[in-house]
Amino acid sequence: MRHTARTATDRLAGDTPLQGRVAVVTGAARGIGEALARRLSDAGMRVALLGREEESLCRAAASLPTRSICVEADVTDQTALDRAAHRVEAELGPASVVVANAGIAVGGPFNRTAADLWKRVIDVNLVGAANTARAFLPQLTETRGYFLQIASTAAFGSAPMMSAYCASKAGAESFARALRGEVEPDGVGVGIAYLHWTGTDMVSSIDEHPVLRALRRNQPWFARRVHTPAQVAEWLTTGIAHRAPHVYAPPWLRWCQPLRPLFPAAVASITRRELRTQSQADLAADVGVMGAGGRADWKAYTSTGPARPRRHE
């Protein structure tokens, strides 16, 4: 199995300009971000891992086969990201690939979700992506590089009980589309990655959320499959290597694009039936940050504030 993965990596590195270049991945302490950092390192890139969980982040960086640095930074803090960008350029070289992956989610009714918690999701997932682009665009312009915005099928059809997450991912998609038109003349590519069910800690408790459980239950069998972060990282790396304007994980999602006008009505119909079976008390019990990464961000945000960058030797 390892031989097959290495062969694919060697082929990717040989056929693309990834070998020897610098990649930056936000939200890299765990899940998709960590898996993608590893996959890009396997493809020969030097990788800067940015995130909020210093210990996990630096442990992941230390395990990569190519030179790496870990920078603990809050993507909602532009000053911290600017410092991180300077460190990346000084220690690894200018970035050729930047992946805006950092994201958190909150489940629960809008009117039962604390305003600052709801806003935090928007700040991390949307404002954080813009901050990341702002910090690294000078380097990407220099290298004629590639910026990948991690979006979601949540941008296809907004689900009740997930208003902040869906709004942030729809906004991130729109931001990336607008940015693409601005930076294309400078030779910078912008891609949007649409992710479906992925086996991260964010969705590990999916069956505890009635709306998400209902949405998944009513999807075709192939759409209910939960893919591993490693598999998703493989799809993302292929898209990065080809500077793809759109990356689909899994690939069959590309056929959903023409059907997008139908999704809001379908999602509304499914969730309406499910919500009618739930009491207000049951729905309110679901309010909270989803996943260990999101909880770590919320804890850091409410206690210590933005973190300071740190280098992995």
Side-chain angles (χ1 to χ4, degrees):
M1 184 70 176
R2 181 60 183 168
H3 173 73
T4 301
R6 177 60 63 184
T7 299
T9 295
D10 292 343
R11 184 173 63 252
L12 183 62
D15 293 344
T16 71
L18 298 185
Q19 179 75 35
R21 303 234 175 179
V22 176
V24 176
V25 181
T26 66
R30 60 176 67 241
I32 295 168
E34 180 186 4
L36 179 58
R38 184 171 306 282
R39 184 65 185 83
L40 293 174
S41 182
D42 283 343
M45 300 196 79
R46 302 189 298 276
V47 185
L49 293 81
L50 276 60
R52 290 286 271 172
E53 300 171 81
E54 183 178 33
E55 184 177 346
S56 298
L57 196 69
C58 292
R59 184 169 58 247
S63 70
L64 299 184
T66 56
R67 188 181 176 202
S68 66
I69 61 172
C70 61
V71 184
E72 188 180 13
D74 179 356
V75 294
T76 70
D77 183 342
Q78 186 69 66
T79 300
L81 280 179
D82 290 342
R83 283 199 306 266
H86 287 306
R87 291 179 67 90
V88 169
E89 186 166 26
E91 298 175 23
L92 296 181
S96 292
V97 172
V98 175
V99 183
N101 168 72
I104 61 173
V106 172
F110 172 76
N111 63 354
R112 300 294 185 93
T113 304
D116 55 348
L117 180 55
W118 196 95
K119 182 176 180 294
R120 182 63 184 173
V121 177
I122 303 296
D123 286 344
V124 172
N125 298 4
L126 176 54
V127 178
N131 289 346
T132 301
R134 192 180 304 278
F136 286 97
L137 267 178
Q139 295 178 37
L140 292 177
T141 301
E142 176 185 345
T143 61
R144 299 178 70 85
Y146 177 77
F147 179 84
L148 180 62
Q149 174 64 57
I150 302 298
S152 167
T153 51
F156 289 6
S158 298
M161 307 281 286
M162 295 290 292
S163 60
Y165 184 77
C166 293
S168 69
K169 288 302 183 181
E173 176 193 35
S174 185
F175 163 69
R177 288 183 183 277
L179 182 66
R180 179 186 293 156
E182 296 182 25
V183 301
E184 195 172 42
D186 297 323
V188 178
V190 175
I192 305 170
Y194 298 96
L195 276 54
H196 200 43
W197 305 117
T198 306
T200 66
D201 56 22
M202 186 183 293
V203 300
S204 60
S205 58
I206 184 175
D207 288 337
E208 298 174 11
H209 292 266
V211 168
L212 295 181
R213 182 177 63 237
L215 286 173
R216 185 160 174 256
R217 185 176 64 239
N218 283 275
Q219 291 175 343
W221 65 267
F222 61 88
R224 294 196 296 269
R225 182 178 178 185
V226 177
H227 298 279
T228 66
Q231 176 62 80
V232 171
E234 183 76 22
W235 288 320
L236 294 177
T237 301
T238 299
I240 290 169
H242 292 88
R243 297 171 61 93
H246 302 96
V247 183
Y248 299 96
W252 59 260
L253 282 175
R254 72 177 62 253
W255 305 112
C256 293
Q257 283 284 20
L259 303 176
R260 286 183 65 167
L262 304 177
F263 289 165
V267 170
S269 176
I270 293 169
T271 56
R272 190 181 301 117
R273 292 197 306 268
E274 187 66 27
L275 291 174
R276 285 173 180 167
T277 68
Q278 303 289 324
S279 69
Q280 288 298 314
D282 289 340
L283 293 176
D286 288 327
V287 175
V289 182
M290 300 171 64
R295 289 190 291 272
D297 172 82
W298 182 243
K299 181 179 179 181
Y301 172 71
T302 56
S303 58
T304 61
R308 292 175 297 176
R310 172 179 168 181
R311 177 181 174 180
H312 165 68
E313 299 292 346

